[in-house]
Amino acid sequence: MSIAYLNGDYLPQDEARISPMDRGFLFGDGVYEVIPVYQGVPFRLEEHLQRLANSLAAIELDNPLSDDAWCELFERLIEKNGGGNLGIYLQVTRGTAPKRDHAFPSPAVPGTVFAFTSPVATPAADSPDTAEGAVAITLDDIRWSRCDIKSTALLANVMLKQQAIASGASEAILVRDGFATEGSASNFFIVEGGVVLTPPKSHLILPGVTRDLVVDLCHQHNVPIKETEVTEGQLKAAEEIWLSSSTRELVPVVTLNGHAVGDGHPGPLWKTMARHYVDFKRRLCGAS
Ligand code: PDD
């Protein structure tokens, strides 16, 4: 039985209730985080809490908890869900207002805080020699221009992901004005001439915690990396393409739009980085 957290209470997830007047439900007026947990230890917690604070500030919503209180909440939630390897989902909405009005409630009402855990699949990076790799397609980036906010309003991402799935792929890499931005639920990297490229942080992409870690690991291990715009043409001609996210870590893309990426197998630089990623994870969390 999964135990969730809702506004101060820990309870079975299917007993958690919010009002249909919650602004998260009515407007998607809220932000969220997804934090991986390895062997009961949250991974890159400080970075996730910082991004949560940034998202809340961007939508002018007070952080309902201190960082210490968030940490305690996660500790209890992990313990109540048996520890091990999990993903924590948390969301904060602008709460339940007496009437539906686009404007913020005045006076402000308490935000809704909801968190739950789910089991996570074993990521590809854990077995670099046998990983099969992912299939992706490119699609027009139809989202708004504040993709740096981790908003629960994900309709465009949902539609894009579904279009990818319907075409037999698992992810869509999005293209805006001729430049690839990110995946519908991931950041991306390419390898061009042996150099790793990933778009710089801007309002057009989510500043991925996993992305930042991969950039750091490249620097630490002298793998040449540039944070620079990537055109659709560069993406399509790439020697390797990788996707990064908290739930999937670092995944090689082996087919893009029906064409093989490189030789159609996970590339050598991905294997190198997957090993560095897993080493880092083990050192931090003792993860297996
Ligand atoms: N999504 N870009 C988008 C649009 C995302 O939704 C995500 C992650 C990322 C990667 O960010 P991070 O490395 O911090 O997880 C980039 C999460 C996992 C989700 O929505 O479930």
Side-chain angles (χ1 to χ4, degrees), residues 134-186:
V135 174
I137 58 170
T138 53
L139 288 176
D140 273 352
D141 193 341
I142 57 170
R143 301 172 303 158
W144 68 332
S145 48
R146 286 306 305 274
C147 299
D148 55 315
I149 301 173
K150 203 161 170 60
S151 161
T152 57
L154 286 172
L155 185 55
N157 302 64
V158 165
M159 290 171 69
L160 291 160
K161 173 70 100 175
Q162 189 54 35
Q163 222 175 309
I165 302 293
S167 79
S170 65
E171 181 58 305
I173 301 180
L174 310 179
V175 177
R176 195 189 287 248
D177 300 329
F179 294 95
T181 52
E182 61 179 337
S184 72
S186 57

Side-chain angles (χ1 to χ4, degrees), residues 5-8 22 64-65 70 73 90-93 111-115:
Y5 170 93
L6 180 64
N7 296 332
D22 192 280
L65 298 173
W70 279 117
L73 186 166
L90 73 94
Q91 84 170 47
V92 182
T93 78
T112 301
V113 182
F114 177 50

Side-chain angles (χ1 to χ4, degrees), residues 32-34 48 51 89 143 147 150 154 157 182-187 205-211 244-247:
Y32 76 106
E33 277 297 322
V34 178
H48 282 282
R51 186 173 62 189
Y89 175 91
R143 301 172 303 158
C147 299
K150 203 161 170 60
L154 286 172
N157 302 64
E182 61 179 337
S184 72
S186 57
N187 295 108
I205 68 167
L206 186 80
V209 171
T210 319
R211 169 204 180 277
S244 70
S245 78
S246 291
T247 41

Side-chain angles (χ1 to χ4, degrees), residues 72-131:
E72 197 190 316
L73 186 166
F74 299 146
E75 244 172 64
R76 289 186 65 185
L77 198 61
I78 292 166
E79 187 221 304
K80 285 177 187 295
N81 285 285
N85 296 345
L86 299 167
I88 295 176
Y89 175 91
L90 73 94
Q91 84 170 47
V92 182
T93 78
R94 208 178 303 276
T96 300
K99 62 180 172 51
R100 180 181 178 275
D101 182 348
H102 287 61
F104 297 173
S106 178
V109 294
T112 301
V113 182
F114 177 50
F116 64 87
T117 65
S118 18
V120 281
T122 306
D126 281 358
S127 44
D129 291 322
T130 51

Side-chain angles (χ1 to χ4, degrees), residues 132-138 161 163-165 167-173 186 241 243 248 251-261 264:
E132 286 186 352
V135 174
I137 58 170
T138 53
K161 173 70 100 175
Q163 222 175 309
I165 302 293
S167 79
S170 65
E171 181 58 305
I173 301 180
S186 57
I241 302 174
L243 302 172
R248 301 180 69 200
V251 179
V253 173
V254 293
T255 307
L256 183 71
N257 296 340
H259 301 290
V261 177

Side-chain angles (χ1 to χ4, degrees), residues 45-60:
L45 183 53
E46 215 178 290
E47 288 79 359
H48 282 282
L49 287 176
Q50 183 58 55
R51 186 173 62 189
L52 174 66
N54 296 347
S55 295
L56 287 166
I59 69 162
E60 297 176 46

